[in-house]
Amino acid sequence: MGQQIPFPQNFAQLVRLGKMASEQRKWPQAIAHLRAAYQYKQTFDVNILLVTALLADQQYQQAAALAQEKVTDYLSSATACPLYVKTLLTTHQFIAVRKLCIARPAGLKTSFWHQQALAVQQAEVAYRTAAPTQIAKLKKALYQLSARHFYDQLALTKQAQFLPQTEFIDAVTHLLTDPYIHPLIRAHFLNELRQLKVAATLNFFWLDGKKHTVKPSALTAITTAPQFLQLYQQINQQLLSDPIAKQNVLKELTLHAAYLYPFADKVIVRPQIWTAVYLAAYTNRQVDLTVFDSTQVQQIQNWQQRFEQLTQKLE
């Protein structure tokens, strides 16, 4: 057996060998060295080197999956963000690229994002020509989404990212009014349309069993409705000394915000009472709810019961 070089010397040597192989365009060797280094230490710098080598070796799916592990770092780096966008384009994640072109993270110039918008348009045209069967099959599956179990719905929701934008919007617009799709799925797709800045007025089936008209581009994100933010901040403040309870309650609250989307402000009209009811329901605190209007307390508890029933359907 060869002599074992201890970490971190072995890590540094693997990175050096990986860089040398990359410079010589010996991609399989570069990938082997860099992958071994990444197993030692999952640094952003090594991730960039390995993703670059995988792309050069046309291992697009692996490159995209690896880049996703450091997505926050990529979107915060003006130098590395273009590489991340490239992994999305090479794996036909059209909707993800479209959303980035609108959000414009990493402080990159407007001209860069204009170039990416043009690139994704061209990629969508090419994909329509190359994969019409796959597109039609995915659209059909989405149209029949309500016939599937929630976890199958969730899987197809993720696959919808691989549709070109026109086909995506067409399929999603249909799903917004399907009463048999779980509310989380409907809320997710509505939020996707918001991020795509869809300006059309659409119908949306909500928890009251009615269809409402919405304009996605005019909506806020799921957790940024003013009344929800007040409730979130009050609970956060009340539970500063109990981080575990705070995490549990805020997790429930975020889920409930998705259920109420996009009309949380119509339901959470008294954040102070909602705060008290949530603390009573989801912590071990003794909360005196009798100081509040009993009808309003009961209404909030009814909503909580409704939320719990919806969550049980996820199991």
Side-chain angles (χ1 to χ4, degrees), residues 41-311:
K41 191 174 182 182
Q42 293 77 43
T43 68
F44 184 40
D45 288 340
V46 175
N47 186 287
I48 292 173
L49 293 170
L50 183 51
V51 167
T52 301
L54 288 167
L55 285 174
D57 201 43
Q58 298 183 0
Q59 297 187 43
Y60 302 131
Q61 296 295 339
Q62 291 189 42
L66 190 70
Q68 195 63 34
E69 293 181 9
K70 300 289 184 179
V71 60
T72 302
D73 294 310
Y74 276 105
L75 297 183
S76 301
S77 169
T79 56
C81 187
L83 179 64
Y84 176 71
V85 175
K86 186 176 181 180
T87 68
L88 298 178
L89 281 173
T90 55
T91 51
H92 306 130
Q93 297 185 56
F94 305 118
I95 301 304
V97 178
R98 293 274 192 176
K99 290 189 295 185
L100 286 177
C101 289
I102 293 171
R104 299 180 181 179
L108 288 161
K109 293 182 179 180
T110 301
S111 59
F112 169 79
W113 292 113
H114 284 163
Q115 291 171 1
Q116 300 313 304
L118 180 60
V120 73
Q121 289 174 17
Q122 295 171 341
E124 287 178 345
V125 171
Y127 188 66
R128 287 189 185 100
T129 302
T133 302
Q134 292 93 317
I135 292 173
K137 184 178 179 181
L138 181 52
K139 281 191 67 178
K140 182 179 179 180
L142 287 168
Y143 271 94
Q144 299 172 346
L145 195 64
S146 60
R148 299 172 180 264
H149 186 274
F150 174 76
Y151 290 104
D152 292 331
Q153 292 184 20
L154 201 58
L156 278 169
T157 297
K158 294 178 181 179
Q159 291 180 39
Q161 295 282 328
F162 297 94
L163 283 174
Q165 180 173 257
T166 299
E167 289 81 353
F168 177 84
I169 293 175
D170 180 60
V172 167
T173 300
H174 163 76
L175 297 175
L176 296 183
T177 58
D178 189 337
Y180 300 106
I181 290 176
H182 196 279
L184 281 184
I185 301 294
R186 288 199 302 270
H188 166 79
F189 279 129
L190 182 58
N191 193 46
E192 291 283 278
L193 296 180
R194 177 193 66 81
Q195 293 177 74
L196 291 171
K197 297 294 183 183
V198 173
T201 299
L202 306 174
N203 289 321
F204 183 74
F205 185 85
W206 195 57
L207 296 182
D208 60 0
K210 299 177 182 178
K211 290 182 181 179
H212 300 259
T213 56
V214 294
K215 186 177 182 180
S217 62
L219 299 176
T220 62
I222 289 176
T223 57
T224 59
Q227 295 289 80
F228 172 82
L229 284 177
Q230 287 188 42
L231 173 57
Y232 189 97
Q233 292 164 1
Q234 289 180 20
I235 291 177
N236 185 61
Q237 185 65 33
Q238 289 280 345
L239 296 176
L240 281 177
S241 61
D242 192 344
I244 295 177
K246 182 177 73 171
Q247 181 180 8
N248 291 336
V249 177
L250 294 182
K251 181 180 178 181
E252 289 291 331
L253 185 57
T254 301
L255 178 63
H256 298 170
Y259 288 145
L260 292 173
Y261 193 66
F263 301 120
D265 279 356
K266 292 184 178 181
V267 177
I268 306 173
V269 293
R270 296 287 300 276
Q272 182 181 4
I273 304 179
W274 278 76
T275 298
V277 174
Y278 267 78
L279 293 176
Y282 297 109
T283 71
N284 293 323
R285 290 193 173 192
Q286 298 297 319
V287 181
D288 184 8
L289 298 179
T290 62
V291 299
F292 302 108
D293 181 88
S294 60
T295 300
Q296 293 187 17
V297 170
Q298 186 61 56
Q299 288 175 345
I300 297 170
Q301 291 173 335
N302 290 342
W303 275 111
Q304 287 182 330
Q305 185 177 9
R306 180 88 178 273
F307 298 150
E308 292 299 324
Q309 291 171 348
L310 290 170
T311 301

